[in-house]
Amino acid sequence: MIKNIIHILNNLLLTFCVISLSFLVIITVIDVIGRYILGLPLPGASELTEIILAILIYIGLPYICRDEGHVTVSILSHSLKSNLSKLHSIIVNLLIGIILISIGIQLFLYGINLKSYNDITTFLEIPKAPIAFILSALSFLASFMNFLNCYQYLTNKKTVSSQNPEERIYASYKRPGIIESSITDKKER
C-alpha cells in the first residue's frame, strides 16, 4: 500500500519536475533570443526563473531524502560495524526529518504571512503565498521520506551498504547511466 502511494507520488513529482524544467528552458531560450537578437527581453523572465528554480529544488528534495543521496562527510561512518551503521542511519534520517519538518512549518507560517497582506512579485504580480505553501508541502513530503527510511531500517527492509563513497563513485563511472545508491532495498533485489 505505502509502496504504491510512494510510486504514484514519485511519478507525479517526476512529471512536475520535467514540466518545470521544460518551462524553464523555454523561458530562457525565448529571453536570450529576444534579448540578444531582437533587443526585446522577455518581461518577468527573472521572476519566473526564480520561482521555477525554487520549486525544482524542493521537488528534488523528496527524491534525495528517499535515496539518501544527500551530500555526506564519512569520516568514520564507513568503518562502523553493521549495527552501529544502522543506528547511525536511523539517527541521521530522524534528525533530517525533524529539520525538514521545522523548515516546512516555517515556510507554511511564512506563506500565511504572505497571504495576510497579499504579497505579489514586482513585475508579473504573481502571488507569493501559494509558492510558499507548495515549498512547505514538498518539505513535509521530504521529511516523510526520511521517517519512512527510519521505519525501513527498524523493520530490516533496508540495509546499509558497506561500499565506501569512493567505490560508489567509481562504480557509477564504470557503468554509465547507473547511479549507485548507498541503500539496498531487500524487497527489490
Side-chain angles (χ1 to χ4, degrees):
M1 175 73 175
I2 291 177
K3 192 171 184 176
N4 290 335
I5 293 171
I6 290 173
H7 182 70
I8 291 169
L9 284 174
N10 281 340
N11 287 338
L12 281 174
L13 287 175
L14 183 61
T15 302
F16 288 133
C17 186
V18 168
I19 290 170
S20 299
L21 196 55
S22 300
F23 193 57
L24 183 64
V25 168
I26 290 168
I27 289 171
T28 304
V29 168
I30 291 172
D31 187 45
V32 168
I33 289 173
R35 183 180 308 273
Y36 294 111
I37 295 177
L38 304 175
L40 298 168
L42 182 65
S46 61
E47 286 180 0
L48 290 173
T49 301
E50 290 171 359
I51 292 168
I52 293 171
L53 280 176
I55 291 172
L56 274 172
I57 290 168
Y58 277 82
I59 284 175
L61 197 56
Y63 282 113
I64 296 298
C65 290
R66 180 175 179 260
D67 293 337
E68 296 181 276
H70 46 275
V71 176
T72 58
V73 178
S74 58
I75 297 171
L76 298 174
S77 61
H78 68 276
S79 62
L80 294 175
K81 294 184 179 181
S82 179
N83 290 338
L84 288 177
S85 182
K86 182 177 173 180
L87 180 64
H88 174 263
S89 295
I90 291 170
I91 291 171
V92 166
N93 276 292
L94 190 63
L95 288 175
I96 292 173
I98 292 169
I99 291 169
L100 286 171
I101 282 179
S102 67
I103 290 171
I105 290 170
Q106 290 300 314
L107 281 168
F108 186 77
L109 295 174
Y110 184 61
I112 291 172
N113 192 17
L114 291 172
K115 180 77 173 155
S116 70
Y117 54 89
N118 295 324
D119 197 13
I120 55 175
T121 59
T122 307
F123 191 76
L124 295 176
E125 298 181 354
I126 299 170
K128 291 182 179 179
I131 299 164
F133 292 137
I134 290 170
L135 300 182
S136 173
L138 290 169
S139 294
F140 288 132
L141 182 61
S143 68
F144 171 75
M145 292 298 178
N146 282 103
F147 294 137
L148 184 63
N149 286 341
C150 288
Y151 172 76
Q152 288 178 336
Y153 280 126
L154 289 171
T155 59
N156 290 325
K157 292 182 181 177
K158 272 192 179 182
T159 58
V160 180
S161 174
S162 62
Q163 195 177 35
N164 67 31
E166 293 82 16
E167 290 172 347
R168 284 198 325 247
I169 291 171
Y170 179 70
S172 66
Y173 284 122
K174 265 187 359 186
R175 296 180 283 178
I178 299 174
I179 299 174
E180 297 287 328
S181 176
S182 62
I183 307 301
T184 307
D185 285 331
K186 285 185 175 179
K187 286 188 173 181
E188 293 179 1
R189 292 193 182 225

